[in-house]
Amino acid sequence: MWDQRTAAFGPRSCHYRTTALGGEDATILDGALLTDMQGRPIRQTGPTSSRDWDEVQAFCRKVYMPYRVRPAAPRLLPAATMRMAQVGRVTLTRFAYGVPIHLDRFDPEAGNILVLNTLTGALRHKQDAERTATTRAGDSFVVDCSRTDYWLDGDGDHLQLNLTIPHDAMAEIAMRWLGFVPDDRLWTRRLAFGGNGSRWQALLAYVVQSLEASGQVRGAPPMARHLEELICMDLLQIWAEGAGISLRDGARMAAPRHVRAAEEIMASEARDPPSMAQVADRVGVSVRALSEGFRRFRGMTPRDFLRARRLEGLRAALRAAGPGDSVTSVAADWGYVNLGALAQVYRARFGETPGQTLAAARARG
């Protein structure tokens, strides 16, 4: 735990940086989620500060996940800062407990990745079985709490600009842009990175500048999707570099033959897809082995992969629809009969409804 007087750490702690936050990007981040670029206060529903542990924990469960918090001393009340904004599927928070704390037992079932970006004070993070990493103003730390355990200590001066990113969102964007999902060599790596003048700090400043007084992103949802993909792809690249993992084609080929063969079958036959048992039989493995291969090397199930290919195929069909085609007819041609359920998953994936895709295609035509 922290020494309450000096916030000193033990001998195995590696200090990642010791400089103060500075520069134009740092100035922007200092006011993150307080005012927009026009100087207008950013509004938020609900309390933005609290001295009640239950209220603070309710906020944390909402924006991060369930976990255990222990203050450095009994009967120590928080002086919390609690601000949030949504950027696509990424939750952005300005947060501090206002007192020294220890956090652990992060719930893996929540399925979330945390990126902790320190504005003031310091955090000490579990990095591996033997080492810790200390991050200070300007530094960042990433951990996938759905794939590995984690704990942290925070001093009484800590103030964070944090990101909560669903693991599934990262996996989906990786598949879309890279053609594969990194395996657990990446997701289980806890990494300190960033620093003053880094591209990550510049990206955070850009994201913060895009927020309006309403706490929304200008031009959302297209702008929100753009920022979400920028955040996830830049984080993937930084994370992979720190973990010593290549994101080039060689990483894709690391998957076993039956996984790659199954991908080819499902991608080419997405319109009239075979069952998982049929796919497994055609590539020469059991359904269980196929599922395990996808989980390990793609970070998703075979059905998730097929579902994504089918949605992409439907989107392409809507964009190429003829004058007499409707959403109903195109969707039926792809085997979709519940248009209400389809609209929900389609919008979650592409940020628009099937009808909007069709209308945009006709406007262009």
Side-chain angles (χ1 to χ4, degrees), residues 3-323:
D3 182 303
Q4 294 182 62
R5 296 165 297 173
T6 62
F9 295 116
R12 291 184 295 176
S13 175
C14 173
H15 286 247
Y16 182 63
R17 284 179 53 87
T18 57
T19 56
L21 199 62
E24 182 179 351
D25 292 334
T27 300
I28 294 170
L29 295 180
D30 281 342
L33 275 63
L34 297 178
T35 59
D36 66 10
M37 288 306 294
Q38 282 71 48
R40 299 171 299 182
I42 292 179
R43 299 186 296 275
Q44 176 177 310
T45 302
T48 58
S49 62
S50 179
R51 293 190 62 81
D52 180 86
W53 279 113
D54 290 339
E55 190 171 52
V56 175
Q57 281 303 92
F59 176 83
C60 292
R61 284 193 297 270
K62 175 182 177 181
V63 301
Y64 304 128
M65 69 193 77
Y67 59 85
R68 183 175 68 173
V69 56
R70 290 182 287 172
R75 296 183 295 280
L76 194 61
L77 293 178
T81 297
M82 307 183 303
R83 291 182 173 271
M84 65 168 290
Q86 202 69 32
V87 180
R89 288 170 289 182
V90 178
T91 303
L92 183 66
T93 49
R94 182 187 184 96
F95 181 77
Y97 279 101
V99 293
I101 45 80
H102 175 81
L103 311 181
D104 60 11
R105 299 184 183 177
F106 289 81
D107 183 7
E109 295 301 318
N112 287 333
I113 295 167
L114 295 181
V115 189
L116 302 116
N117 309 286
T118 301
L119 300 179
T120 63
L123 299 182
R124 182 177 67 169
H125 314 260
K126 177 180 181 179
Q127 191 162 37
D128 56 36
E130 300 296 330
R131 297 179 301 158
T132 64
T134 302
T135 54
R136 300 184 184 277
D139 303 330
S140 300
F141 193 90
V142 60
V143 55
D144 186 345
C145 294
S146 74
R147 295 298 190 271
T148 188
D149 64 318
Y150 175 59
W151 59 257
L152 70 85
D153 293 325
D155 71 5
D157 296 322
H158 72 271
L159 175 63
Q160 302 295 125
L161 181 65
N162 296 330
L163 305 180
T164 307
I165 308 173
H167 174 94
D168 289 348
M170 287 281 283
E172 177 195 306
I173 289 172
M175 176 60 73
R176 188 186 315 156
W177 285 95
L178 303 175
F180 75 101
V181 177
D183 60 34
D184 279 355
R185 290 176 299 162
L186 178 73
W187 308 123
T188 58
R189 177 68 179 268
R190 311 173 194 91
L191 180 71
F193 67 98
N196 293 323
S198 66
R199 75 189 197 211
W200 179 252
Q201 190 181 74
L203 176 58
L204 290 178
Y206 174 53
V207 171
V208 166
Q209 285 179 302
S210 301
L211 294 174
E212 294 187 316
S214 62
Q216 301 299 312
V217 176
R218 293 190 298 273
M223 185 61 175
R225 293 199 307 273
H226 164 69
L227 292 175
E228 176 189 278
E229 293 197 340
L230 278 179
I231 290 167
C232 290
M233 283 305 300
D234 202 55
L235 180 60
L236 276 171
Q237 292 169 5
I238 293 170
W239 203 347
E241 290 169 4
I245 297 171
S246 172
L247 294 181
R248 299 181 184 274
D249 289 344
R252 175 176 171 80
M253 299 306 292
R257 182 202 63 81
H258 68 268
V259 171
R260 288 181 279 118
E263 287 176 331
E264 292 174 5
I265 291 171
M266 289 188 285
S268 63
E269 301 177 23
R271 185 171 178 175
D272 186 18
S275 68
M276 288 302 112
Q278 290 171 326
V279 173
D281 184 64
R282 288 166 64 179
V283 301
V285 298
S286 67
V287 172
R288 181 174 181 178
L290 182 65
S291 297
E292 176 59 23
F294 268 81
R295 186 203 66 78
R296 181 178 179 187
F297 291 95
R298 297 301 188 242
M300 63 176 65
T301 68
R303 286 186 175 82
D304 288 337
F305 178 89
L306 177 59
R307 188 177 298 114
R309 301 293 80 73
R310 282 178 52 75
L311 286 172
E312 290 165 1
L314 173 63
R315 183 175 175 83
L318 289 169
R319 286 175 163 176

